[in-house]
Amino acid sequence: MSTFNGLPAHILLVHFIVVLAPLTAILAIAASIWSGVRNRLVWLIAALAVFTLVLTPLTTEAGEWLEKRVPETAAVEQHTEIGDWMIYFSVGLVIVAAALVFLHLRERRGSAPVRWQSIAVVVLAVVIGATTIVQVYRIGESGARAAWDDVSATAVDE
């Protein structure tokens, strides 16, 4: 997918990632800590994590298409390099979601998870969730610089 209604698809798809990845991370952290949140939202978290995982390569492929059509700058190169790492964070969110589903199913069967399992899921959710949020920020900030630095520099000069 290269364009949608005349706009580069990357510009549209990236907004899904910017919203869904941090939202999934925050919900996963909350669900790892509070079983009530987990009971209510575990399947939503799993669906959001899978959806984010599917959208991530589509977004990066659309970004690579766009990269070939814009001037080559250091900012564009940096954004591309940082953006290529997002797939690993999306996979991490799916792993956290799977761990939450595991805990949820164990609890529903009436057997409480072993304490170390619960602690491991909390640590995993917090680490992967926090790093995902930071990575989305870094990618977005570098993308904004790549897109707008020349424009803002020109506007200030005038």
Side-chain angles (χ1 to χ4, degrees), residues 103 105-114:
L103 287 181
L105 293 177
R106 253 190 105 131
E107 289 167 347
R108 283 193 63 192
R109 279 190 240 134
S111 60
V114 181

Side-chain angles (χ1 to χ4, degrees), residues 1-20 51 55-56 58-63 65-66 79:
M1 176 183 279
S2 54
T3 62
F4 181 79
N5 281 345
L7 288 174
H10 179 71
I11 294 169
L12 300 171
L13 291 171
V14 76
H15 288 89
F16 285 109
I17 301 296
V18 165
V19 171
L20 293 179
F51 191 55
L55 281 178
T56 298
L58 295 175
T59 304
T60 55
E61 285 177 29
W65 177 88
L66 181 60
H79 175 64

Side-chain angles (χ1 to χ4, degrees), residues 64-79:
E64 289 170 7
W65 177 88
L66 181 60
E67 179 187 19
K68 294 174 185 161
R69 285 152 181 82
V70 299
E72 190 173 324
T73 65
V76 169
E77 183 62 32
Q78 180 186 22
H79 175 64

Side-chain angles (χ1 to χ4, degrees), residues 44-106:
L44 174 65
I45 294 166
L48 289 173
V50 169
F51 191 55
T52 301
L53 180 62
V54 169
L55 281 178
T56 298
L58 295 175
T59 304
T60 55
E61 285 177 29
E64 289 170 7
W65 177 88
L66 181 60
E67 179 187 19
K68 294 174 185 161
R69 285 152 181 82
V70 299
E72 190 173 324
T73 65
V76 169
E77 183 62 32
Q78 180 186 22
H79 175 64
T80 303
E81 287 178 18
I82 295 172
D84 285 342
W85 283 87
M86 186 61 205
I87 190 68
Y88 300 110
F89 295 89
S90 296
V91 169
L93 289 175
V94 170
I95 291 169
V96 169
L100 291 169
V101 167
F102 167 78
L103 287 181
H104 175 70
L105 293 177
R106 253 190 105 131

